[in-house]
Amino acid sequence: MPEDTIHRPNMDVNPLPTAQLTGDATAEDIDSIRRRTSVFVYEWPVRLWHWGNALCIVVLCITGWFIASPLPTMTFAEATHQFVMGYIRFAHFAAGQLMTVGFFARIYVAITGNHHAKQLFYVPFWNKHWWAEIMFEIRWYLFMEKEPKKYVGHNPLAQVAMFFFITLGTVFMLATGWALYAEGAGQGSLPDLVMGWLIALVGNTQILHSLHHIGMWFIVIFVIIHIYVAIREDIMSRQSMVSTMISGHRTFKDDRAD
């Protein structure tokens, strides 16, 4: 027996002889590994859309800010040799068009994918148990509960936030964005025929621009909260969060059912 293990009262703390594949795993570690479970939740189209949509939001927010509040001076080059605002607008329009295609693709995935892919597009207001879970999650996020519950998909509070800020928020931003684009595309263009009516509905493009700009700030606030909560839950909850949207697997940290 090796000298460093002769006088230890608890032999389970020693590495197992068959631990070649698990490093210095002890019997307790191996038992924990056997208990932990993983469930496949998000298919690759959902994960691809999530990260692609996040990139589009970043581009749209940055370029939208400069479109609404251009730089006070443009000293990059002579006026005839620069196209800075043109490039910014191009990036904004391109990201908006990609987001539009991605959103319709996401609707298709919700129809054809697993049941977790559908969670983004509905909120079960009619379910009494769901409301009880909402209240529990609010208490958990306010540090009023000692331990969180386990969820395979989104927890109920996250589902509400995703539905209103991402699903409905995306519809609002795409609709107002395409209506603003329709004015530049010209009367009779495809954007004008599809979304030009929205300008007349709200009154004028200045009002529409203000609504679009306010919508951007709601999205920014949601993104900040979303990132905080995802990291917080990855640390404090009983299941994986960030890695789940990369691998698709929800990994649980204990073997209790609830």
Side-chain angles (χ1 to χ4, degrees):
M1 183 178 295
E3 182 179 351
D4 60 344
T5 62
I6 291 176
H7 300 292
R8 294 185 181 180
N10 185 2
M11 300 303 294
D12 286 343
V13 300
N14 298 318
L16 297 178
T18 58
Q20 291 86 353
L21 299 180
T22 54
D24 59 349
T26 64
E28 183 180 0
D29 294 332
I30 295 297
D31 189 47
S32 177
I33 291 170
R34 291 195 184 102
R35 289 200 317 266
R36 297 187 184 190
T37 57
S38 178
V39 179
F40 184 71
V41 181
Y42 300 120
E43 298 167 310
W44 72 263
V46 173
R47 306 196 308 271
L48 178 63
W49 172 82
H50 176 274
W51 296 111
N53 195 61
L55 178 60
C56 286
I57 289 174
V58 171
V59 173
L60 285 166
C61 288
I62 294 174
T63 56
W65 169 265
F66 284 115
I67 290 172
S69 306
L71 296 172
T73 180
M74 304 291 281
T75 58
F76 303 100
E78 290 294 331
T80 55
H81 297 152
Q82 65 180 9
F83 194 60
V84 178
M85 288 304 299
Y87 289 131
I88 291 175
R89 284 169 57 84
F90 172 78
H92 192 80
F93 298 153
Q97 291 163 3
L98 287 173
M99 176 179 275
T100 302
V101 173
F103 188 70
F104 280 102
R106 182 64 179 84
I107 294 174
Y108 175 77
V109 172
I111 297 171
T112 61
N114 63 21
H115 67 281
H116 297 294
K118 299 174 176 59
Q119 198 176 18
L120 188 70
F121 293 93
Y122 74 95
V123 177
F125 290 114
W126 57 89
N127 190 323
K128 293 182 179 180
H129 177 71
W130 182 84
W131 281 105
E133 295 293 303
I134 283 280
M135 299 309 299
F136 178 89
E137 287 302 306
I138 291 175
R139 294 194 302 272
W140 162 245
Y141 286 123
L142 292 176
F143 300 96
M144 297 172 64
E145 292 287 345
K146 294 182 179 180
E147 187 177 62
K149 293 187 177 181
K150 294 164 70 173
Y151 296 96
V152 177
H154 294 302
N155 70 59
L157 191 59
Q159 184 178 6
V160 172
M162 296 294 287
F163 177 76
F164 282 101
F165 285 95
I166 295 299
T167 305
L168 298 186
T170 298
V171 170
F172 177 83
M173 294 303 288
L174 291 179
T176 54
W178 277 107
L180 290 169
Y181 186 81
E183 185 179 45
Q187 189 173 8
S189 64
L190 181 60
D192 179 62
L193 294 174
V194 177
M195 293 305 306
W197 56 269
L198 191 56
I199 299 175
L201 181 65
V202 301
N204 56 62
T205 52
Q206 183 57 50
I207 296 175
L208 195 63
H209 179 275
S210 297
L211 293 174
H212 191 70
H213 192 72
I214 292 171
M216 180 201 74
W217 282 112
F218 275 99
I219 297 295
V220 168
I221 292 171
F222 167 78
V223 168
I224 294 172
I225 296 174
H226 178 64
I227 293 173
Y228 160 73
V229 169
I231 296 174
R232 175 186 186 269
E233 290 299 280
D234 225 333
I235 297 171
M236 299 180 63
S237 76
R238 296 159 61 198
Q239 57 266 318
S240 63
M241 287 291 167
V242 178
S243 61
T244 299
M245 197 49 72
I246 297 174
S247 67
H249 289 267
R250 178 83 70 201
T251 302
F252 297 97
K253 302 175 184 177
D254 61 60
D255 61 343
R256 286 177 291 150
D258 191 10

